[in-house]
Amino acid sequence: MVDILHRVGVVTPSPEKVYDALTTVDGLSAWWTEDTRGGGEVGGVLEFRFPPVGGFDMEVVEVEPAERVVWRVVDGPEEWIGTTIDWRLRQDGDYTIVLFAHAGWSEPVEFMHHCSTKWGSYLLSLKSFVETGSGAPAPRDVQISDWH
Amino acid sequence: MVDILHRVGVVTPSPEKVYDALTTVDGLSAWWTEDTRGGGEVGGVLEFRFPPVGGFDMEVVEVEPAERVVWRVVDGPEEWIGTTIDWRLRQDGDYTIVLFAHAGWSEPVEFMHHCSTKWGSYLLSLKSFVETGSGAPAPRDVQISDWH
């Protein structure tokens, strides 16, 4: 099993805004994909779409306000199904530190390399959204390759 | 052992420019850090510095023109020493595909999360440098957190 790991620091006085950006449809659609639906409460399913390529359905398996969010991928590309997305938040001075893991990939396939870079880019979109009010969600996301 | 993986696609007609950006001091200093010295041939040591924090010394252990570059970290932060940086290039239509691995971390420490995001950002700097002539090397790099 192999994992994608990332860390960013968001300039904001407390983790609340980052937490909201991970648990509400309005927040998620402002930095990851504009086509986001569903519910961010435990047991809910969040539906992220990236037309025309497809998307992901995530079951929310854990939320601790302002501290942690965990999703399990229940539909999407074969390599993603059963993997987990784990967000940990903590405040360090002027920064909310975001520790991210997309865990449980069975093999380090080329698509995993792509998703790693793409997640990093989206985390910078999350940081920008919380700090400035403006992110770069799909379809206005940063193109990193032929795979978008 | 855990690895950082990334993939970007650079719009360029052949891998030569990306290869040069990984094997010459002029190229490396245009996307990673302006303070780069040393030699990019096999057996040479490349010295990357990020004032005032420190830097990395990389021994060049393999080069295959326009296909592959491998470095081994011989000096730098404790977590980096002995790890390898592996670059694989191939042409897919209008894109040079760059598969990147920073392999051999002993533990998925928080610093590894940071380096993963930072590598992703630097790979986009490499892409920008080859495509437009302008990258974002240190000290003009994208700040992602309190750790820079």
Side-chain angles (χ1 to χ4, degrees), chain B residues 76-143:
Chain B
E78 184 185 348
E79 297 92 336
W80 279 52
I81 293 175
T83 60
T84 57
I85 317 284
D86 190 332
W87 303 88
R88 291 170 188 267
L89 312 180
R90 71 163 195 271
Q91 195 67 21
D92 264 8
D94 295 334
Y95 290 83
T96 294
I97 303 302
V98 180
L99 288 181
F100 169 92
H102 182 177
W105 289 72
S106 58
E107 297 289 341
V109 291
E110 186 163 338
F111 183 47
M112 181 179 170
H113 292 64
H114 166 77
C115 293
S116 175
T117 315
K118 201 75 193 173
W119 272 125
S121 177
Y122 280 124
L123 284 170
L124 295 178
S125 168
L126 167 64
K127 172 176 164 68
S128 173
F129 166 59
V130 172
E131 291 179 354
T132 72
S134 177
R140 299 180 287 112
D141 52 325
V142 176
Q143 185 175 353

Side-chain angles (χ1 to χ4, degrees), chain A residues 3 5-9 90 92 95 97 99-100 108 110 112-114 116-117 120-121 124 127 142-147, chain B residues 3 5-9 90 92 95 97 99-100 108 110 112-114 116-117 120-121 124 127 142-147:
Chain A
D3 303 342
L5 307 174
H6 285 292
R7 178 190 190 275
V8 294
R90 72 164 194 270
D92 264 9
Y95 290 83
I97 304 301
L99 288 181
F100 168 93
E110 187 163 337
M112 181 179 170
H113 292 65
H114 166 77
S116 175
T117 316
S121 178
L124 295 178
K127 172 176 164 68
V142 176
Q143 187 175 352
I144 66 168
S145 74
D146 54 333
W147 289 354
Chain B
D3 303 342
L5 307 174
H6 285 293
R7 179 189 189 275
V8 294
R90 71 163 195 271
D92 264 8
Y95 290 83
I97 303 302
L99 288 181
F100 169 92
E110 186 163 338
M112 181 179 170
H113 292 64
H114 166 77
S116 175
T117 315
S121 177
L124 295 178
K127 172 176 164 68
V142 176
Q143 185 175 353
I144 66 167
S145 74
D146 54 333
W147 288 353

Side-chain angles (χ1 to χ4, degrees), chain B residues 25-91:
Chain B
V25 168
D26 279 355
L28 290 160
S29 61
W31 67 267
W32 197 19
T33 176
E34 291 180 354
D35 192 347
T36 297
R37 300 171 204 192
E41 72 286 0
V42 171
V45 173
L46 288 161
E47 299 170 17
F48 302 100
R49 294 294 177 273
F50 300 77
V53 240
F56 317 105
D57 287 358
M58 309 277 195
E59 181 188 352
V60 180
V61 293
E62 186 174 341
V63 293
E64 292 175 34
E67 284 187 15
R68 193 158 181 216
V69 174
V70 183
W71 303 326
R72 181 166 45 226
V73 182
V74 293
D75 204 0
E78 184 185 348
E79 297 92 336
W80 279 52
I81 293 175
T83 60
T84 57
I85 317 284
D86 190 332
W87 303 88
R88 291 170 188 267
L89 312 180
R90 71 163 195 271
Q91 195 67 21

Side-chain angles (χ1 to χ4, degrees), chain A residues 7-19 89-98 123-134, chain B residues 142-148:
Chain A
R7 178 190 190 275
V8 294
V10 181
V11 180
T12 182
S14 79
E16 310 304 334
K17 280 192 180 175
V18 176
Y19 181 76
L89 312 180
R90 72 164 194 270
Q91 195 66 20
D92 264 9
D94 296 333
Y95 290 83
T96 294
I97 304 301
V98 181
L123 285 169
L124 295 178
S125 168
L126 167 64
K127 172 176 164 68
S128 173
F129 166 59
V130 172
E131 292 178 354
T132 72
S134 177
Chain B
V142 176
Q143 185 175 353
I144 66 167
S145 74
D146 54 333
W147 288 353
H148 204 87

Side-chain angles (χ1 to χ4, degrees), chain A residues 2-140:
Chain A
V2 283
D3 303 342
I4 294 169
L5 307 174
H6 285 292
R7 178 190 190 275
V8 294
V10 181
V11 180
T12 182
S14 79
E16 310 304 334
K17 280 192 180 175
V18 176
Y19 181 76
D20 287 348
L22 299 176
T23 53
T24 68
V25 167
D26 280 354
L28 290 160
S29 62
W31 67 267
W32 196 20
T33 176
E34 290 181 354
D35 192 347
T36 297
R37 299 172 204 193
E41 70 286 1
V42 171
V45 173
L46 288 162
E47 300 170 15
F48 302 101
R49 294 293 177 272
F50 299 77
V53 238
F56 317 104
D57 286 359
M58 310 279 196
E59 181 189 351
V60 180
V61 293
E62 186 174 341
V63 293
E64 293 175 34
E67 285 187 16
R68 192 157 181 218
V69 174
V70 183
W71 303 325
R72 180 167 43 228
V73 183
V74 292
D75 203 0
E78 185 186 346
E79 298 92 335
W80 279 52
I81 294 174
T83 60
T84 57
I85 317 285
D86 191 332
W87 304 88
R88 291 170 187 267
L89 312 180
R90 72 164 194 270
Q91 195 66 20
D92 264 9
D94 296 333
Y95 290 83
T96 294
I97 304 301
V98 181
L99 288 181
F100 168 93
H102 183 177
W105 290 72
S106 57
E107 297 289 339
V109 292
E110 187 163 337
F111 183 48
M112 181 179 170
H113 292 65
H114 166 77
C115 294
S116 175
T117 316
K118 201 75 193 175
W119 272 124
S121 178
Y122 281 123
L123 285 169
L124 295 178
S125 168
L126 167 64
K127 172 176 164 68
S128 173
F129 166 59
V130 172
E131 292 178 354
T132 72
S134 177
R140 299 180 287 110

